[in-house]
Amino acid sequence: MNPDPRRRLHDTIVRLPRAEELRPREVEEPARRRPRQIFTPQFILLYGFIGLIAVGSILLALPVSDAAGRSTSPIVALFTATSAVTVTGHTAVSTAQHWSYFGQAVIFVLMLVGGLGFMAAATFVLLLIGQKSASISHRLVLRESMGEDHLGGLLQIVRIIVIVVFMIYVLGAIILLPSIQDITGFGLVESMWQSIFLSVSSFNNAGFSILPEISDARSLAILDNQWLIQSAMAVLIILGCIGWTVLVDVNRRKRFSRFSLDTKLVLIGSVALWILGFGAYLLASYLSQENQNDISLFSRSGEALFHSISGRTAGFIIADFGAAEDFTKLVFTFLMLIGGGAGSVAGGIKVNTLMVVVAAVISSIRARPQTEAFGREIPQTQVFRALAVGALALAFIMITVPLLTITEAASLRSGEIHFLDLFFDTVSAFSTNGSSTGIVPQLGTTGQLIFIGAMLIGRIGPLTLALALAPKEKFLYRFAQERVRIG
């Protein structure tokens, strides 16, 4: 019997929600604490470099840093400190003659810390006193500066790197010591100081030297035909500019076929650039109108090889780049802009960036839908990042050089400074190379300040850009495709 007379058998009751139940519910979520933009990894790195430059500038401006006991001009002190921290090697005054032992020691410490990387050195100090860097932002900066893809094991990597690097410093100084003592005639203590300074400067690709200078435009003219010293310096420069991860990969896997794609690209790119620099320098040497017939082929080849290695990343000069042919300056301007490997002490846009762009061009010519190299596909995000780094570097130079032509217009009109020399030294400053045609002391205060900015931006710019371009979130949508005419 149906208990409800109003309801038929098999009827279904449908209950509609009430009006208040249809309203959206409001749930308060506690506000997330977001870090201030001034404390991002990029700014932390910038603050570290600026702080180090400030301390170095103050110390170098003191009378105790001057060999004559006088106070150094603040702009010269700032320029030298920036050049040392960014391991550039540009100098407004003679490093060997202007600075006292105290001043040279300040430059030594600045280029030592700047070469290893401020964050890597700071982390190592924290490890020594029993602390650990747990900050994720700190580790992100370390990851980019050391060229690693993963956050795990970074502290162990930093510890090993610093220990191995100091061993290389000592070994390089031991090899350089007998030859330096022989050519300079210094005592043992002075020769040891010269050797360790040159060893650190070579490995860090800093370009600073306190060896006795000869009164011409060549900063290392005293090393003419000193093949042992040049060979030791070349090896140290290569070890410093090739990149930490490349050295580790080569040591672990031994064979080229087993290397990672990154290692293969860096090695092939570096060798190709060294051959290009060697060939260009040697060709220009023979075609020069001031060609000296008494110089043997061996001597010319040795000089060309040293400048090909040093001229791209370190900036040590045995020949006079101010008197070099325009062809040589243009080729080495390109080489300096490329610089060394990622995660190394060298500057520039990096060999890795160049090789990714080259791989993209070759893949495009072969009508491949993606960028490929050695049987591996390079992610499209990395191709875009490489293009961005290269394009922004060129844009910075295109802005800086015309600006310098305005500030140094009087010197350009009088012929004291040539445009190609100005262009060469500007790229050298931005790529933290240090090779110079000798125009830096002739620059005005504004020009030297622009060079200071170029050195600082060139040192931290690629790293900051890499952090800025790092993917922060995944987009769940894509826009519709539309073709654009090319060619």
Side-chain angles (χ1 to χ4, degrees), residues 31-184:
R32 295 182 180 180
R33 189 175 181 182
R34 297 182 178 180
R36 296 183 179 180
Q37 294 298 319
I38 60 174
F39 295 114
T40 59
Q42 301 95 311
F43 279 101
I44 292 174
L45 190 66
L46 177 62
Y47 299 151
F49 273 100
I50 292 177
L52 197 60
I53 291 172
V55 173
S57 301
I58 294 173
L59 293 176
L60 290 175
L62 298 176
V64 68
S65 297
D66 190 282
R70 298 187 297 266
S71 296
T72 301
S73 167
I75 185 65
V76 172
L78 177 62
F79 189 96
T80 305
T82 305
S83 181
V85 171
T86 59
V87 290
T88 301
H90 272 307
T91 56
V93 293
S94 170
T95 307
Q97 298 175 2
H98 179 84
W99 303 108
S100 64
Y101 285 114
F102 179 81
Q104 293 174 4
V106 172
I107 295 174
F108 177 83
V109 174
L110 292 179
M111 71 176 181
L112 179 67
V113 178
L116 285 175
F118 177 80
M119 298 304 294
T123 302
F124 185 67
V125 171
L126 290 174
L127 289 173
L128 288 180
I129 62 178
Q131 300 183 18
K132 293 184 178 180
S133 174
S135 170
I136 192 67
S137 62
H138 189 177
R139 289 169 179 259
L140 284 171
V141 174
L142 279 172
R143 181 188 70 178
E144 295 295 337
S145 62
M146 308 312 294
E148 287 292 318
D149 294 328
H150 307 287
L151 294 178
L154 277 176
L155 300 183
Q156 180 67 17
I157 292 174
V158 172
R159 183 190 293 112
I160 294 174
I161 285 175
V162 175
I163 293 174
V164 171
V165 167
F166 271 89
M167 292 174 61
I168 294 175
Y169 288 155
V170 174
L171 182 60
I174 293 174
I175 296 174
L176 292 171
L177 178 60
S179 299
I180 288 180
Q181 192 172 16
D182 181 59
I183 65 174
T184 61

Side-chain angles (χ1 to χ4, degrees), residues 322-356:
E325 295 294 318
D326 291 348
F327 171 74
T328 305
K329 294 177 184 178
L330 286 174
V331 172
F332 274 82
T333 299
F334 166 75
L335 295 177
M336 290 189 300
L337 181 61
I338 302 303
S344 71
V345 294
I349 65 173
K350 302 297 185 294
V351 179
N352 316 57
T353 303
L354 172 68
M355 295 305 292
V356 168

Side-chain angles (χ1 to χ4, degrees), residues 74-76 78-79 82 396 400 403-404 407-408 443-457:
I75 185 65
V76 172
L78 177 62
F79 189 96
T82 305
F396 177 83
T400 306
L403 186 61
L404 282 168
T407 61
E408 309 301 320
L443 296 176
T445 301
T446 305
Q448 291 190 4
L449 288 174
I450 293 175
F451 264 55
I452 290 172
M455 289 187 288
L456 185 59
I457 293 174

Side-chain angles (χ1 to χ4, degrees), residues 63-318:
V64 68
S65 297
D66 190 282
R70 298 187 297 266
S71 296
T72 301
S73 167
I75 185 65
V76 172
L78 177 62
F79 189 96
T80 305
T82 305
S83 181
V85 171
T86 59
V87 290
T88 301
H90 272 307
T91 56
V93 293
S94 170
T95 307
Q97 298 175 2
H98 179 84
W99 303 108
S100 64
Y101 285 114
F102 179 81
Q104 293 174 4
V106 172
I107 295 174
F108 177 83
V109 174
L110 292 179
M111 71 176 181
L112 179 67
V113 178
L116 285 175
F118 177 80
M119 298 304 294
T123 302
F124 185 67
V125 171
L126 290 174
L127 289 173
L128 288 180
I129 62 178
Q131 300 183 18
K132 293 184 178 180
S133 174
S135 170
I136 192 67
S137 62
H138 189 177
R139 289 169 179 259
L140 284 171
V141 174
L142 279 172
R143 181 188 70 178
E144 295 295 337
S145 62
M146 308 312 294
E148 287 292 318
D149 294 328
H150 307 287
L151 294 178
L154 277 176
L155 300 183
Q156 180 67 17
I157 292 174
V158 172
R159 183 190 293 112
I160 294 174
I161 285 175
V162 175
I163 293 174
V164 171
V165 167
F166 271 89
M167 292 174 61
I168 294 175
Y169 288 155
V170 174
L171 182 60
I174 293 174
I175 296 174
L176 292 171
L177 178 60
S179 299
I180 288 180
Q181 192 172 16
D182 181 59
I183 65 174
T184 61
F186 289 143
L188 180 61
V189 176
E190 176 67 20
S191 298
M192 290 175 61
W193 169 235
Q194 294 277 352
S195 301
I196 190 64
F197 192 100
L198 189 59
S199 177
V200 172
S201 183
S202 298
F203 182 85
N204 287 3
N205 287 229
F208 281 95
S209 170
I210 54 175
L211 288 171
E213 295 182 355
I214 299 176
S215 57
D216 62 10
R218 301 179 294 168
S219 63
L220 287 177
I222 194 174
L223 297 185
D224 267 344
N225 299 318
Q226 298 296 328
W227 306 119
L228 178 59
I229 298 181
Q230 292 183 26
S231 300
M233 291 175 62
V235 172
L236 290 171
I237 292 170
I238 291 173
L239 292 176
C241 78
I242 206 71
W244 315 111
T245 53
V246 173
L247 295 176
V248 172
D249 196 31
V250 171
N251 181 61
R252 286 178 179 175
R253 304 188 183 183
K254 311 297 182 184
R255 295 172 56 183
F256 184 84
S257 59
R258 298 178 181 177
F259 294 160
S260 66
L261 177 59
D262 180 74
T263 300
K264 292 178 180 178
L265 293 178
V266 171
L267 291 179
I268 291 178
S270 298
V271 172
L273 293 174
W274 286 327
I275 294 174
L276 174 61
F278 172 80
Y281 191 95
L282 191 62
L283 177 63
S285 176
Y286 271 102
L287 296 180
S288 174
Q289 296 179 357
E290 300 178 359
N291 183 19
Q292 300 178 5
N293 297 323
D294 57 340
I295 301 179
S296 65
L297 177 61
F298 177 80
S299 297
R300 290 184 185 276
S301 300
E303 186 178 285
L305 181 59
F306 179 82
H307 282 98
S308 176
I309 295 173
S310 174
R312 183 164 61 89
T313 58
F316 291 107
I317 298 175
I318 295 177

Side-chain angles (χ1 to χ4, degrees), residues 419-439:
F419 174 78
L420 186 56
D421 294 345
L422 186 66
F423 181 71
F424 181 93
D425 279 42
T426 303
V427 175
S428 176
F430 174 74
S431 60
T432 66
N433 180 282
S435 295
S436 177
T437 58
I439 68 167

